[in-house]
Amino acid sequence: DKLWLLIVVKIYRGIGKMKKNNFKIIELKPDNKKSSIRRTVFIKDFIIQEIIGIHEHEKTKKQKIKFNIVVNVNQNTVPDEKDIKSIVDYEKITNKLENLVKNKKYNFLESLAEDSFKEIFKDNRIDSIKIKIEKPDAIKSAGSVGVEVYKSRSDYEGS
């Protein structure tokens, strides 16, 4: 404790010896050069027929699983007409979704959504994703039931 007090006193005395002219006032301004470019890739009403659910009748009969996905792509990603790898390929995303539900049996749409994030965020150009997954035929008196989740890359990497 005495050592800390000695250090604080020395720092304080050092500041006291500085002249007023040694300080410069700077004005912080917002960065007006920040780009307003937004590039979004979306997949609308992509339907897969597969087994999903917790109830016994859902474990034996395939049902519709409907995906709606919005992917926000890093603004520095520029498409090159000669190279498909220069874009975030929606067909690649739909193939990943198909593989997920074919290779794993899900009880919950929430679990499927989490695995979907893992697959889609493998592309480092993606800044954020909104996933909506529905089961249109799960409840007869409802048009659809499901889950919708949004994650930014920082949300995802922090989880």
Side-chain angles (χ1 to χ4, degrees):
D1 287 337
K2 290 181 182 180
L3 178 61
W4 282 109
L5 181 60
L6 180 62
I7 292 171
V8 170
V9 168
K10 286 194 175 211
I11 291 173
Y12 178 76
R13 286 184 181 158
I15 291 173
K17 292 179 183 176
M18 296 173 103
K19 295 180 182 177
K20 289 181 182 177
N21 295 343
N22 288 347
F23 294 101
K24 182 177 181 182
I25 298 173
I26 59 170
E27 185 178 348
L28 297 176
K29 296 180 182 177
D31 185 5
N32 292 334
K33 295 178 185 176
K34 194 171 187 179
S35 176
S36 62
I37 295 171
R38 298 289 175 261
R39 190 176 315 278
T40 302
V41 173
F42 67 91
I43 299 164
K44 184 176 180 182
D45 298 335
F46 177 66
I47 295 176
I48 298 173
Q49 294 271 351
E50 200 56 64
I51 291 177
I52 186 166
I54 193 83
H55 303 293
E56 285 306 314
H57 67 277
E58 293 177 305
K59 294 182 180 288
T60 57
K61 185 180 175 190
K62 290 183 179 182
Q63 62 182 306
K64 285 182 190 176
I65 307 166
K66 182 166 69 169
F67 292 83
N68 281 284
I69 300 176
V70 178
V71 175
N72 290 309
V73 181
N74 183 292
Q75 67 187 15
N76 297 323
T77 302
V78 179
D80 176 355
E81 278 294 307
K82 297 175 185 166
D83 185 8
I84 194 165
K85 291 180 181 178
S86 70
I87 62 162
V88 173
D89 184 357
Y90 44 80
E91 185 176 20
K92 195 173 184 180
I93 293 171
T94 58
N95 289 338
K96 286 180 177 191
L97 298 174
E98 285 178 329
N99 287 333
L100 280 175
V101 291
K102 285 183 180 174
N103 294 325
K104 183 176 178 182
K105 298 303 175 208
Y106 289 94
N107 289 327
F108 306 115
L109 293 177
E110 291 84 350
S111 303
L112 175 55
E114 290 305 312
D115 284 355
S116 299
F117 281 113
K118 287 177 189 172
E119 285 299 313
I120 298 169
F121 269 127
K122 285 181 181 177
D123 187 331
N124 290 323
R125 299 170 296 181
I126 295 174
D127 289 336
S128 65
I129 305 167
K130 181 171 79 171
I131 296 176
K132 181 178 180 181
I133 308 174
E134 301 171 77
K135 295 194 308 186
D137 302 325
I139 297 180
K140 290 180 183 177
S141 58
S144 190
V145 295
V147 62
E148 183 173 286
V149 184
Y150 170 87
K151 287 190 183 188
S152 68
R153 179 165 291 283
S154 60
D155 294 331
Y156 170 73
E157 290 175 348
S159 61

